[in-house]
Amino acid sequence: MQIDILTLFPEVFPGYFNVSILQKAQAAGRLVIRLHNIRDYAAGKHRVTDEPPYGGGGGMVLKPEPIFAAVEAVIGRQKAKGRRQKAEDDHLVTLSPVHHVILLSPQGRPFTQQIAQELAGHERLLLICGRYEGVDERVRQHLVTDEISIGDYVLTGGELAAMVVVDAVARLLPGVLGAEGAAEADSHATGLLEGPHYTRPAEFRGWDTPEVLRSGHAANIQRWRRQAALRRTWQRRPDLLSTAVLTEEDKWFLRVLAEETVSREGE
Ligand code: SAM
């Protein structure tokens, strides 16, 4: 997969992208990340990228021209294949269906593991990081194909949000995580939270680890993990249980948990 990131601050990315799993994914050629400074596409001696908002008010707004120019330079201008109604209009960028142009925005659709999975199916992604008061509305209307928010709060810029999206998507690409299928048991991948993990030592300050996990009995370990995931989800995010895919055994275990809770409350 190739991910292009448009930003006014490309220097903030390498520290995170060039370590651990993301670094290995790039070294193995499974992930290509290209950083583009929006300022390089701004016209004039001063390469102005932002202006005060029409109508007044505080802050600055990112101008449309450098962002359109950057996207055109990065993915090229291509003849419409039905995506854009007015392809003959020279002012419109016409995008090939392989390009998914995402604006990071607190007004976008809330980012989830399901969206990360959906994005991992694309060959190329292009992420646009806003700054200041945000981007000129015409970028949203005529250039982007998706808007993503990483949460109901406002960040100074889209760079952290872009890192979050890249990280969550990259670890789902084939071969990126060491063990095949390692992401499949993660929290939210199956609709449940994952259960607890333990490692050596078996006993620490008098606190034990579950014996079953040290038993080497694969089926028992698997059952324990499933029940631990159900228990944790029941305790912390019961809302997830209404959409999770549950077996008959899962449903039986949830009934046991419910009965346990009722009898504890009755004590
Ligand atoms: N005035 C904008 C609003 O109220 O919607 C917020 C602008 S914010 C200070 C600047 C930029 O940070 C945004 O254009 C966006 O790219 C990014 N950003 C801020 N919060 C975000 C979030 N929760 N998710 C994704 N991007 C975010």
Side-chain angles (χ1 to χ4, degrees), residues 62 103-108 128-135 148-162:
L62 286 186
L103 175 66
L104 284 316
S105 162
Q107 303 175 16
I128 302 174
C129 305
R131 273 271 155 180
Y132 316 126
E133 278 306 311
V135 302
I148 288 179
S149 164
I150 63 159
D152 287 346
Y153 41 79
V154 175
L155 300 163
T156 308
E159 287 75 13
L160 274 175

Side-chain angles (χ1 to χ4, degrees), residues 111-124:
F111 193 50
T112 61
Q113 187 68 16
Q114 280 62 43
I115 294 178
Q117 267 152 6
E118 173 198 319
L119 297 181
H122 288 267
E123 285 169 43
R124 291 185 67 172

Side-chain angles (χ1 to χ4, degrees), residues 19 24 49 53 82 115 128 134-135 141-142 146 169 192 211 214 221 234 254 256 264-265:
V19 294
K24 286 190 193 134
T49 54
I115 294 178
I128 302 174
V135 302
Q141 287 174 328
H142 303 295
D146 196 359
V169 169
L192 298 177
E211 211 177 309
R214 293 180 271 118
I221 292 172
W234 163 266
L254 288 169
V256 172
R264 252 202 318 275
E265 283 169 358

Side-chain angles (χ1 to χ4, degrees), residues 29-98:
R30 299 184 192 281
L31 175 66
V32 176
I33 302 174
R34 301 195 312 177
L35 300 168
H36 309 274
N37 193 331
I38 296 170
R39 192 170 303 284
D40 293 341
Y41 299 90
K45 193 167 129 216
H46 299 293
R47 296 192 175 275
V48 175
T49 54
D50 52 282
E51 298 270 9
Y54 277 132
M60 301 293 270
V61 176
L62 286 186
K63 290 160 66 61
E65 310 97 299
I67 299 178
F68 272 76
V71 172
E72 289 171 355
V74 169
I75 67 179
R77 291 174 73 99
Q78 302 179 40
K79 280 286 162 215
K81 291 200 173 103
R83 277 256 355 265
R84 296 276 177 197
Q85 297 285 306
K86 296 187 210 150
E88 68 283 358
D89 182 336
D90 211 31
H91 300 296
L92 291 181
V93 180
T94 50
L95 306 174
S96 133
V98 294

